Amino acid sequence: MVFFRKKRNMPDGLWVRCDGCSSMLFKKTVEDGMFVCPECNYHFRIFSRDRVKILVDENSFEEMWPNMVPCDPLNFKDRVTYPERVTEEQQKSGLKEAVIVGKAKINGSEVMIGITDPSFIMGSMGSVVGEKIARVTEKAMELRLPLILVSGSGGGARMQEGVFSLMQMAKTSAAIARFQGAGGLYISILTDPSLGGVMASFASLADITIAEPKALIGFAGPRVIQETIRRALPKGFQTAEFLLEHGFVDMIVNRQDMKKELSRLIAYLQ
Amino acid sequence: MSEKTVAELENLILEIEHQIEDLQSAPTNGRLDKSTEIQHLKERRDSLQMKLCSKLTPYDIVKIARHPLRPLSADYVNMMLTDFIELHGDKRFGDDKAMICGLGRIGKERVLFIGQQKGKSTKERIACNFGMPNPEGYRKALQKMKLAEKFHLPIVTLIDTPGANPDIGAEERGQAQAIAENIYEMCRLKTPIINIVIGEGGSGGALGIGIGDKFAILEYAYYSVISPEGCAAILWKNAENAPISAKSLKLTAKDLLNFGVVDEIISEPLGAAHKNPKTMADILKAQISKYLAEFKNISIDDLLANRYARYRKIGKYLET
Ligand SMILES: [Zn+2]
C-alpha cells in the first residue's frame, strides 16, 4: 500500500485544465483525442470503460464475471467500515470493483483483456481483483489467446482485506507463470499510476511491458520513499521514461498508438 | 487485586529475574537452602509470564516480533544448521547482507537456506539495512534457489523483514520487478520449499522469498500486507494509531491460522523466543525436519499442483 497524489479523472463541465501544462482545454477536444492533451501530450487518467473504447474493436468487449464484489473477511473498520467504503466507492466510480475483465478483439484478432481502474479504492488489489486476473489468465490459457492486462493502481494492496490482499500477488503470479509456461503471450500495459503489490506481481511479469508516457511506476510510492530518505526525489523519478532508461519496460507508447502497436506485437508473437 | 498491565507484568518479571541472578551469584551460607528459594522465584516468574502472554494485544506481538534480542536468521544458522557454506552475491550487481544464503544440513538432510537478516549491533544493522532487502537481495536468493533446483535440494526460507527497501537505488534497480520475478519463479521451482516467518513478515518484501509448499509462523511473529504504522498513517492519518491498526489488520499467527493462510503455528518457549533462543532453535529444527520427511513421499508434479492450488484458492469474495 502506497501513497500517491490524488489526480482526478476528467471532471464535469465544458472545459478542463491540463494537469501537465495547465492549459485550459475544450473537454470535447480532449475526449476526441483519447484523453490526451493536444498541447503537451499529458495522458489524463481514464476509466476502464473508456480504456475499452479506445483499445479494442467497437462492441467487441464481452465482459466476464461482472458480478463479483468484495466481502469483509477482517471485519475491518477505520473511520468507516469496509463495506461502507466499498458502497461509497461503487457509487462514486460506477464500478463494482477495481477491475473489469473479458474477451475482446483488437483489429479483428481475439484477446483476453483485464483493466484495473484507479478510480475504485485507488485500483488496489483485493480478493476480487486477484481472482478476476487469475480467471482471465486461465481463460486465455484455455482458449490459447493473448492476454493483455492494463494496470492502473496507486494502492497496490487493499489494506482492508489484509493478508488476503497480499496473497493475491501470489495467486496472480502463479496463474501468469502457468500461462507463460504453456507458451501464452502476455502483454502488460502500465498506466498512471502503477505501484506497490500490483507492480511487484502480475504487472511486472509480461513478455512485453509497455508504459504510457509520464506514468508513475514503481514499487514504493514517492511519499514513502521521501519519508524514508528525507530528501527531495530527483526530477522524473519513477516515470515511464525513468523505467525505460533503467531497462524495465520494453517501450513507451502514446495512447493514440496503443491499439496499433498491440496489433503489430500480436502479429509477431502469437 | 487489580489487573496488571503488560508493561507492569514485564517489569515484575525482570525484577524477579534479577533476584534469581543475585541469588545464584550470592555465596552460599548456611541460613537457607537457596535453591528452594530460586525454584520458588522461577515458578512465580513462569506463572507471571503465562499471564502476560495471555494478555498480549496484536501490537504487543508486533513488538515482540521486533524485540532486539529475538533470534535472527544468522542465529538459526548457527544453532540449527551444521556444515554451513555461505554463498554470496547475485552475480548481477552485488551482495545484499539482508539476505543470507547458503548450503547446510538440518540433521542429515541437505538444504539450501535463505534467511532475511536484520543484524544485532548498530553496525550490523546498518550493513543489513535493518533487514530491508534490495533488488540484489531478491536476485541473490533466486540465483541460489535455481542452484537448489538443479541439484535437487529442498529450500528453507526464514522470513524476517519490515519490508523491501523503499529508496531511490532500489527503484532504479527494479525492486518491483525483482520481487515479482521471485514470486513467479518460486511458483514453479521444481524442488520442495518451506517458508517460515520467524519475526516480521512485511508485505511484498516477505512474499519475495515466501512462496512454497509449507508455510508456518512462529507464535509471536506477524505477517501483514502493510506495517501497522504505515496503515495507521494512511487510514487513521496518524502512525500513533498503530495499536488500533495492528488489531484491525488481523496479522497475528492465530489470525493467519484461522484464515487458513498458514499451515501451522510453531510454539515459542515460555516468554517468547528471545527468552530461550536455544530451545526455540530446537523446536524450529524439529519442525523443519518433519516437513522435510513429508516431502519424501510426494512427486514433484504433485508438489507443484498442490502449490498452485494453495495460492489459487486464497481469497474471499461474493459472486451473485
Ligand atoms: Zn497539457
Side-chain angles (χ1 to χ4, degrees):
Chain A
M1 187 73 209
V2 285
F3 300 97
F4 73 103
R5 189 165 65 92
K6 202 145 194 167
K7 287 185 204 155
R8 297 153 299 129
N9 287 51
M10 293 282 289
D12 296 333
L14 272 180
W15 294 87
V16 58
R17 187 183 294 278
C18 171
D19 284 336
C21 66
S22 302
S23 305
M24 284 307 285
L25 307 166
F26 192 47
K27 202 175 150 193
K28 184 79 174 50
T29 317
V30 178
E31 280 173 2
D32 291 345
M34 296 187 178
F35 305 91
V36 174
C37 172
E39 304 292 324
C40 74
N41 199 36
Y42 174 78
H43 285 49
F44 284 86
R45 285 189 183 169
I46 57 174
F47 287 115
S48 42
R49 304 281 171 198
D50 292 323
R51 177 80 57 184
V52 166
K53 284 185 203 143
I54 62 181
L55 209 52
V56 305
D57 298 349
E58 208 177 338
N59 297 324
S60 74
F61 181 65
E62 300 164 30
E63 189 177 358
M64 300 172 97
W65 311 294
N67 295 319
M68 291 173 67
V69 291
C71 55
D72 185 18
L74 270 58
N75 245 317
F76 198 95
K77 181 174 185 298
D78 47 270
R79 283 162 304 155
V80 295
T81 66
Y82 182 42
E84 281 165 353
R85 186 174 295 261
V86 167
T87 308
E88 215 174 82
E89 295 276 327
Q90 283 171 336
Q91 283 163 354
K92 199 187 73 190
S93 66
L95 297 163
K96 283 209 167 102
E97 246 288 355
V99 71
I100 56 171
V101 301
K103 196 164 148 189
K105 283 183 181 158
I106 293 182
N107 294 327
S109 52
E110 286 196 315
V111 297
M112 298 304 299
I113 186 165
I115 304 169
T116 62
D117 194 321
S119 54
F120 185 94
I121 318 192
M122 296 199 276
S124 56
M125 178 159 60
S127 292
V128 172
V129 172
E131 179 65 23
K132 285 172 88 168
I133 295 285
R135 284 188 191 181
V136 75
T137 304
E138 287 171 338
K139 201 59 160 174
M141 186 163 151
E142 181 195 322
L143 301 177
R144 299 180 169 275
L145 292 177
L147 173 69
I148 295 164
L149 298 179
V150 184
S151 299
S153 170
R158 182 83 51 88
M159 283 180 291
Q160 294 87 348
E161 294 185 26
V163 74
F164 290 104
S165 158
L166 182 63
M167 287 296 154
Q168 303 310 306
M169 292 170 66
K171 179 195 276 188
T172 55
S173 302
I176 299 283
R178 266 203 172 180
F179 173 63
Q180 291 188 325
L185 166 63
Y186 165 32
I187 300 172
S188 171
I189 301 175
L190 308 176
T191 71
D192 187 59
S194 292
L195 294 167
V198 164
M199 269 313 285
S201 65
F202 70 86
S204 287
L205 295 170
D207 297 294
I208 301 283
T209 306
I210 304 174
E212 279 196 338
K214 305 268 167 58
L216 174 68
I217 305 167
F219 175 66
R223 251 174 75 189
V224 170
I225 299 175
Q226 207 163 341
E227 279 167 15
T228 309
I229 65 171
R230 292 176 194 285
R231 62 189 156 93
L233 299 173
K235 202 170 181 311
F237 181 62
Q238 294 185 311
T239 57
E241 293 72 17
F242 172 94
L243 266 87
L244 185 75
E245 194 192 322
H246 287 91
F248 293 105
V249 299
D250 291 280
M251 55 210 281
I252 294 175
V253 174
N254 280 327
R255 193 173 285 164
Q256 301 92 320
D257 302 325
M258 193 66 84
K259 187 176 173 184
K260 185 185 79 199
E261 291 299 312
L262 286 175
S263 256
R264 290 176 68 205
L265 286 165
I266 291 168
Y268 268 104
L269 300 172
Q270 182 65 1
Chain B
M1 199 181 77
S2 68
E3 284 290 296
K4 288 191 168 57
T5 66
V6 167
E8 283 167 348
L9 284 166
E10 260 173 354
N11 285 334
L12 210 58
I13 290 166
L14 273 181
E15 215 172 275
I16 295 172
E17 277 178 347
H18 285 142
Q19 285 175 24
I20 295 172
E21 276 170 33
D22 288 349
L23 267 173
Q24 279 169 336
S25 58
T28 320
N29 57 30
R31 73 170 167 93
L32 240 178
D33 182 7
K34 77 174 180 182
S35 67
T36 322
E37 201 171 333
I38 290 173
Q39 189 54 37
H40 180 75
L41 282 169
K42 279 186 175 167
E43 275 162 23
R44 175 151 163 70
R45 176 197 64 187
D46 290 352
S47 91
L48 285 170
Q49 196 73 258
M50 262 185 281
K51 191 162 175 190
L52 187 150
C53 289
S54 70
K55 279 177 170 271
L56 295 172
T57 65
Y59 198 57
D60 290 327
I61 291 173
V62 169
K63 285 189 280 185
I64 295 176
R66 295 169 177 167
H67 196 284
L69 296 178
R70 191 168 175 86
L72 304 176
S73 286
D75 301 311
Y76 290 112
V77 168
N78 291 329
M79 294 186 289
M80 198 169 76
L81 299 180
T82 53
D83 194 24
F84 185 64
I85 305 175
E86 185 165 3
L87 302 171
H88 295 275
D90 70 343
K91 317 268 174 81
R92 280 159 180 76
F93 178 83
D95 181 38
D96 192 338
K97 291 177 178 56
M99 198 79 82
I100 299 174
C101 303
L103 303 168
R105 284 173 211 273
I106 291 182
K108 283 185 181 141
E109 300 295 329
R110 298 171 305 151
V111 301
L112 174 81
F113 175 90
I114 292 171
Q116 286 165 329
Q117 175 65 8
K118 290 176 165 177
K120 283 242 159 85
S121 67
T122 306
K123 202 179 145 193
E124 244 177 39
R125 288 163 70 84
I126 290 167
C128 295
N129 194 32
F130 307 91
M132 295 184 286
N134 277 302
E136 49 273 21
Y138 293 101
R139 293 185 180 124
K140 173 184 178 180
L142 183 57
Q143 209 261 335
K144 311 313 170 197
M145 288 194 281
K146 295 241 166 156
L147 178 83
E149 180 183 43
K150 181 173 174 187
F151 295 100
H152 311 292
L153 296 184
I155 298 166
V156 176
T157 79
L158 299 188
I159 294 162
D160 191 13
T161 180
N165 193 22
D167 82 357
I168 292 178
E171 295 290 326
E172 285 173 340
R173 301 193 295 280
Q175 188 69 282
Q177 177 82 32
I179 292 171
E181 254 171 57
N182 275 29
I183 296 171
Y184 178 96
E185 293 296 341
M186 291 180 88
C187 286
R188 60 182 197 177
L189 214 58
K190 291 190 175 93
T191 197
I193 309 172
I194 299 167
N195 313 118
I196 296 169
V197 188
I198 58 166
E200 293 191 86
S203 191
L207 205 61
I209 60 161
I211 303 292
D213 308 297
K214 294 283 179 188
F215 186 23
I217 181 165
L218 299 196
E219 194 177 353
Y220 301 114
Y222 79 92
Y223 191 58
S224 180
V225 68
I226 184 170
S227 73
E229 292 79 7
C231 180
I234 298 170
L235 292 182
W236 282 267
K237 309 292 172 204
N238 187 343
E240 281 165 26
N241 287 315
I244 305 170
S245 66
K247 190 161 175 264
S248 308
L249 283 165
K250 306 269 194 305
L251 44 65
T252 67
K254 271 186 197 155
D255 294 319
L256 294 165
L257 188 69
N258 283 340
F259 290 150
V261 171
V262 299
D263 301 312
E264 243 170 314
I265 297 173
I266 301 175
S267 305
E268 300 194 18
L270 189 59
H274 62 277
K275 294 280 181 188
N276 198 338
K278 185 70 186 74
T279 306
M280 185 70 252
D282 290 342
I283 296 170
L284 186 56
K285 185 178 163 185
Q287 189 71 28
I288 294 171
S289 298
K290 189 188 96 182
Y291 288 151
L292 291 171
E294 286 176 28
F295 289 143
K296 306 234 176 223
N297 305 317
I298 183 163
S299 72
I300 288 292
D301 286 348
D302 288 348
L303 196 76
L304 290 179
N306 293 346
R307 195 184 297 162
Y308 188 79
R310 158 187 289 268
Y311 296 104
R312 185 64 188 82
K313 68 171 198 268
I314 300 181
K316 298 263 187 244
Y317 50 85
L318 300 169
E319 196 165 13
T320 52

